[in-house]
Amino acid sequence: MQGNMMDRPLLVSSIIEHAENTHPKTEIVSRLCEKIDGPNGLTDIHRGTMKESATRAKKLANALTRHGISQGDRIATLAWNSHRHYELYFGVSGMGAVLHTINPRLFPEQLIYIINHAEDKWLFVDLSFLPLIEAIKDQVTGIEKIVILADPANMPDTTLPNVICYESLIENEDDSFSWPEFDENLGAFLCYTSGTTGNPKGVMYSHRSTVLHAMASTATDALGIGCQSCILPVVPMFHVNAWGTPFACSMVGAKMVFPGPGMDGASIWELVDSEQPDLLLGVPTVWLMLLNHMDEIGKKLDSVKNVVVGGSAAPLSMIQRFDQGHDAFLIHAWGMTEMSPIGTVNNYSSAMKGMSSEQRYALQAKQGRPVYGVEMKIVNDEGTSLPRDGKAFGNLMVKGPWITKSYYLNDDQSNFVDGWFDTGDVATIDPDNYLCLVDRSKDVIKSGGEWISSIDLENAAVGHPDLEECCVIGVAHAKWDERPLLLAIKKAGAGVSAESIKAFLSDKIVSWWMPDDVVFVDELPHTATGKLLKINLRKEYANYLIEKEELALES
Amino acid sequence: MQGNMMDRPLLVSSIIEHAENTHPKTEIVSRLCEKIDGPNGLTDIHRGTMKESATRAKKLANALTRHGISQGDRIATLAWNSHRHYELYFGVSGMGAVLHTINPRLFPEQLIYIINHAEDKWLFVDLSFLPLIEAIKDQVTGIEKIVILADPANMPDTTLPNVICYESLIENEDDSFSWPEFDENLGAFLCYTSGTTGNPKGVMYSHRSTVLHAMASTATDALGIGCQSCILPVVPMFHVNAWGTPFACSMVGAKMVFPGPGMDGASIWELVDSEQPDLLLGVPTVWLMLLNHMDEIGKKLDSVKNVVVGGSAAPLSMIQRFDQGHDAFLIHAWGMTEMSPIGTVNNYSSAMKGMSSEQRYALQAKQGRPVYGVEMKIVNDEGTSLPRDGKAFGNLMVKGPWITKSYYLNDDQSNFVDGWFDTGDVATIDPDNYLCLVDRSKDVIKSGGEWISSIDLENAAVGHPDLEECCVIGVAHAKWDERPLLLAIKKAGAGVSAESIKAFLSDKIVSWWMPDDVVFVDELPHTATGKLLKINLRKEYANYLIEKEELALES
């Protein structure tokens, strides 16, 4: 029994078309890399509207068509958040090509790898990132044209071949373009995620997934945005499409403020002060810079109601600083590149109404509840579902229409099990579906069949007044398979012993979680984003406890 | 170039599953037809939760499966808004059958027609509607079972065959049920719309359309609901699925208050007072009763922030009464059974911020802006698009994933043109996409190629102090094809002339809209819902002006 409803595909172009018709006057404010004659004497701020950007996206689509770009072709960007990048989002995907947003923070060899793996045909690049491309241009010869995101007055000297000026490219194009209709499951955006090992892996978002994700993210308890909202996404447009905010904002007519290259506290504050956004989005590092800057200059957030934090968990102190110092609510959101990215959001809920600040902060520290569309479960190593009791912790598996089912041109299906995506996280889920990440799967310690969170142990241990930093890894154990080992850096001049640390921990953790030993080290390895890099430590200390026991037996 | 996202179908069952996992404690409060041992000594109020209803929906799905109901079978309801009807929404559609919600206000011959046309197999019926079915039972013999929505203690004496008690039906069923996965384009709900002529026509909503409509309707500028909301949908669940609110509320965990058979002002007030909803939804008639009742007892709305009005336009005075008397914002929404139903919503917008109350009321009187997903245009009789200037008016055409492309088992495609649905309304659209309905297509007057709104003329004329009611119809004219004729009922004892009415109108309308004549009548015909029924008047007066002219020539 078929339904009788219209077969309208969910296409990204329908979002910009809706914005153009329904929210033509909504502002888009951008900080640029170049110097222009901006409003109020500002030389790096561009003010436009959704109508103007919609028109320019159509001109861009005409230009690309005229230059022979076809549906499915990959068009890359190396660009900050700006109205031009916004136009690329819609112009490229709208005509049926695929927009590949490249993270400029990748290493040169990773840049080369993904540009060649994606077979990018054109590259649109902000002035800031020209040196990156100039350095690798001989290894990315598949790129036919490089478009500089600038006006003619700001075109740079460059050694790059086949360079075009963005404003010249679109200037004389027709401003009408009929967005083509096609299958909603075609690819629209491509984004690579770089793990700690191996080559970056691509996620090819479809039109359908992009539209559904945007619809879900506008919901009241997700981003909760509408035509009166003003959003400042500090999260970059090269990072999972700025968490989908350009789509969500266009869908509902929310004003967008794009920070361009100005990611420091002072630059962000300047935009907050002048544009009065009510919602900010970004990683904790950025908010720490903003909070510190505001403290220095004695300013407070006025317009901002909510600050969405993703990428990594915000410390409790940040939740508190926003609340007590700025009357702003920190919303934890959790997701992954593989998830478009939004999985869970921890917006203000009914449950928080009756809580003390302390209780509420503790709940806010969790990753939140899934938005409609995202299903999740936790399983043990045999794949058996574990209870949603807030205590059991297991491998977090997710499913949903905006979650990838495979990596782009990659046969490895090891993260995809029976239709679920294995997130690589270990988590608890409580009876109200609040997700709490406990550890990464590869870092969790499996002691006699029971699991111990390395992160919980680190957080407990680092409270010791004599310790600078802690790292807990699982190492081989004859009886329990694995046991926790604590590696710690002492504070300068501190003379603390392993025994005193164990004593300190004894009333903070259950007894069987107690690390079998404490090793003092001078330094600990980190990833580029500041996370502990445990893989080499695990190798180095793999047999530490076994050897120690053997030594003890010998002596 | 295919995207690589999971192929997750958009199924109605995913909504109740999300509600069960994420919003298990959200309350569902229902007024029942029967007497029960309710909380706080109330004998007709049932309190439950989303978790409980989700469980009962699964028991229902098990019961239906055990009784041989298959995917695609039509299951009918004749029922008020209640937790049981809510369970039917999810239990029936979730297992793959189609829920056919019947409007009990139809005439018996229409009831017979649609039950037989839909080939309903089972019928779930509230106690109030038993007499309706008892009266027609011999003409709807395709119905195999009739389930009474009551507990065993409230089972009635009835002459109906094959009767089952709802609570007994589900009582002993297993409370686990794996919602099956199937094509999202399969039918989920069936709803008939009764025009002024011909048999009722069915609209078969798909799972996909139902889910997308729900996602769109939860948006901030649509219903704007979340887990802290409390919704009182007075709009019946047999009327376009209560505008989709049961889906929207379950998606976001909003509390629902179901008024059951209590649709009068006092009953609605009792629920408003006890449950403190922040959002009400219904037709203007209901709100008039509620406003009058509150005036009588000297009460004001306290919790209610928004009142959504659909079905027909609210008078300006109602917008004003809610604002000034109750600090509640009246949101006009416009849609049709063919549209699931939401097309446009007139929620508070940035544009209203700087307005005087009077300006704002005037804007609120419009039908609002389309939610994302609904495309609209106005065209002339040749199908050419007209400008969005707020002045030109034309036939309103709509398109979108939750708009029907044909009626159920009906070959008539006359309302479907090039992928658009012809709404039968005449409207203007302004540059910000605000829709304003001007007239019904069949009532608009086409004078020398230009269109005149019969409704605007009626509204202007009825302002005359001596007139009780006015009706304007287009009648044949030798030169202009059609010209407006005003039919008017005088107030008792008033001695007004056609000339004085024309003089009254002269500064209220453009000169070429002036009715060619005024005919005083003693009564005007209306539809069952109180709208003017112009079809017979048009026949009766078809040649009025031509004959009048001939008479004038003869004399």
Side-chain angles (χ1 to χ4, degrees), chain B residues 131 206 281 306 381 450 550:
Chain B
S206 67
L281 300 101
N306 292 302
D381 279 344
E450 300 289 335
E550 284 168 359

Side-chain angles (χ1 to χ4, degrees), chain A residues 1-11 14-15 17-18 20-25 71-74 98 181 183-188 202-206 208-209 211-213 215-216 218-221 224-228 251-252 338-340 348-350 353 369-375 388 398-409 416 419-421 430-433, chain B residues 1-11 14-15 17-18 20-25 71-74 98 181 183-188 202-206 208-209 211-213 215-216 218-221 224-228 251-252 338-340 348-350 353 369-375 388 398-409 416 419-421 430-433:
Chain A
M1 177 61 62
Q2 287 289 311
N4 282 327
M5 309 310 280
M6 290 184 183
D7 307 306
R8 301 292 303 149
L10 304 174
L11 300 180
S14 69
I15 300 177
E17 205 160 30
H18 179 76
E20 182 178 7
N21 287 330
T22 309
H23 307 289
K25 297 170 196 150
Q71 293 196 0
D73 283 349
R74 270 78 67 208
V98 173
E181 283 189 19
D183 180 356
E184 66 187 27
N185 292 303
L186 291 185
V203 179
M204 178 70 85
Y205 307 114
S206 67
R208 173 183 164 103
S209 70
V211 168
L212 290 175
H213 178 267
M215 291 181 83
T218 61
T220 302
D221 294 324
I225 58 175
C227 70
Q228 298 181 74
M251 212 170 242
V252 301
E338 289 86 342
M339 298 173 68
S340 298
Y348 193 88
S349 72
S350 315
K353 274 183 189 165
R369 294 186 291 181
V371 294
Y372 167 76
V374 172
E375 298 164 72
R388 290 167 198 261
V398 292
K399 192 152 82 167
W402 52 86
I403 298 171
T404 192
K405 63 182 175 190
S406 64
Y407 292 106
Y408 180 59
L409 297 182
F416 305 95
W420 294 83
F421 170 63
D430 80 6
D432 293 313
N433 236 9
Chain B
M1 178 60 62
Q2 288 289 311
N4 282 329
M5 308 310 279
M6 290 184 184
D7 307 306
R8 299 293 301 149
L10 303 174
L11 300 180
S14 69
I15 301 176
E17 204 160 31
H18 179 76
E20 181 178 7
N21 286 332
T22 309
H23 307 290
K25 296 172 195 147
Q71 291 196 3
D73 284 348
R74 272 76 68 209
V98 174
E181 283 190 17
D183 180 356
E184 66 188 26
N185 291 303
L186 291 185
V203 179
M204 179 69 87
Y205 307 114
S206 67
R208 172 182 166 104
S209 70
V211 168
L212 290 175
H213 178 268
M215 291 181 83
T218 60
T220 302
D221 293 325
I225 58 176
C227 70
Q228 297 181 74
M251 213 169 240
V252 301
E338 290 85 343
M339 299 172 67
S340 298
Y348 193 89
S349 72
S350 316
K353 274 185 190 164
R369 294 187 289 182
V371 293
Y372 167 77
V374 172
E375 298 164 72
R388 290 167 199 259
V398 293
K399 193 152 80 168
W402 52 86
I403 297 172
T404 190
K405 63 181 173 189
S406 65
Y407 293 106
Y408 179 58
L409 299 183
F416 305 94
W420 293 83
F421 170 64
D430 81 7
D432 292 314
N433 236 10

Side-chain angles (χ1 to χ4, degrees), chain B residues 466-529:
Chain B
D466 290 334
L467 295 186
E468 179 77 34
E469 191 179 7
C470 293
C471 174
V472 173
I473 55 173
V475 299
H477 188 278
K479 181 174 176 189
W480 301 108
D481 291 338
E482 250 184 27
R483 287 295 301 163
L485 176 68
L486 172 58
L487 308 173
I489 303 175
K490 289 182 197 176
K491 279 191 181 156
V496 64
S497 71
E499 286 318 301
S500 85
I501 290 171
K502 287 190 178 187
F504 172 80
L505 286 174
S506 62
D507 63 347
K508 295 176 181 65
I509 56 174
V510 289
S511 60
W512 63 276
W513 280 36
M514 183 62 72
D516 280 32
D517 204 356
V518 180
V519 178
F520 294 103
V521 294
D522 292 333
E523 54 180 10
L524 287 165
H526 295 92
T527 67
T529 57

Side-chain angles (χ1 to χ4, degrees), chain B residues 311-313 332-336 339 344 365-368 376-378 392-398 423-430 434-441 444 453-456 459 531:
Chain B
S312 56
H332 258 137
W334 169 80
M336 300 176 72
M339 299 172 67
T344 61
K366 294 191 176 192
Q367 275 63 42
M376 54 187 201
K377 65 174 180 180
I378 45 173
F393 56 91
N395 298 307
L396 177 63
M397 316 288 285
V398 293
T423 63
D425 281 308
V426 170
T428 65
I429 301 176
D430 81 7
Y434 275 94
L435 173 72
C436 186
L437 295 189
V438 169
D439 211 340
R440 291 291 294 166
S441 307
V444 79
S453 161
S454 66
I455 293 176
D456 283 357
N459 288 342
K531 290 176 189 168

Side-chain angles (χ1 to χ4, degrees), chain B residues 264-343:
Chain B
D264 58 296
S267 299
I268 299 296
W269 167 255
E270 190 180 274
L271 284 179
V272 168
D273 193 36
S274 62
E275 303 302 327
Q276 301 280 300
D278 51 11
L279 179 68
L280 313 178
L281 300 101
V283 294
T285 324
V286 164
W287 305 133
L288 201 59
M289 291 191 293
L290 177 63
L291 285 166
N292 290 344
H293 178 77
M294 290 189 294
D295 281 355
E296 277 165 29
I297 61 170
K299 297 285 186 184
K300 286 190 185 306
L301 292 175
D302 175 28
S303 60
V304 174
K305 289 182 201 131
N306 292 302
V307 180
V308 177
V309 167
S312 56
L316 211 62
S317 59
M318 185 175 283
I319 298 174
Q320 201 169 16
R321 273 176 88 178
F322 273 118
D323 182 44
Q324 296 177 1
H326 302 274
D327 200 18
F329 185 86
L330 187 147
I331 300 174
H332 258 137
W334 169 80
M336 300 176 72
T337 302
E338 290 85 343
M339 299 172 67
S340 298
I342 296 178

